[in-house]
Amino acid sequence: MSKREILRRLEAVEAQLAQRTPVPLAGQQTINVATIGHHTYEGPGACQADMFGTQCGAHRDEHQHVPGIL
């Protein structure tokens, strides 16, 4: 791959990242995935994982899913 091609691709990615986040659709909810991911989901329902004396309680979708685990 040429240097020009790499630069072109980097510029394309930067242009995509510079775009504004679209407005959520009516009824759409945001789930924050940045705060969790260091443990696996322990369900059913809200996560039952014990995090040093505090129950996680987050939704299943807020966890990073690893194939083969829950």
Side-chain angles (χ1 to χ4, degrees):
M1 183 179 303
S2 70
K3 183 177 180 178
R4 287 184 187 175
E5 178 66 15
I6 292 171
L7 290 174
R8 187 189 67 74
R9 289 184 179 197
L10 282 173
E11 289 170 353
V13 169
E14 288 174 346
Q16 287 180 335
L17 292 174
Q19 294 179 1
R20 296 188 67 135
T21 304
V23 176
L25 302 173
Q28 185 179 12
Q29 296 180 356
T30 303
I31 298 176
N32 183 4
V33 295
T35 58
I36 303 181
H38 58 278
H39 67 276
T40 56
Y41 167 76
E42 297 177 21
C47 182
Q48 307 292 316
D50 180 12
M51 298 171 30
F52 305 102
T54 303
Q55 184 179 359
C56 173
H59 188 273
R60 183 176 194 265
D61 290 344
E62 292 186 64
H63 292 75
Q64 292 179 354
H65 297 285
V66 178
I69 299 177
L70 298 173

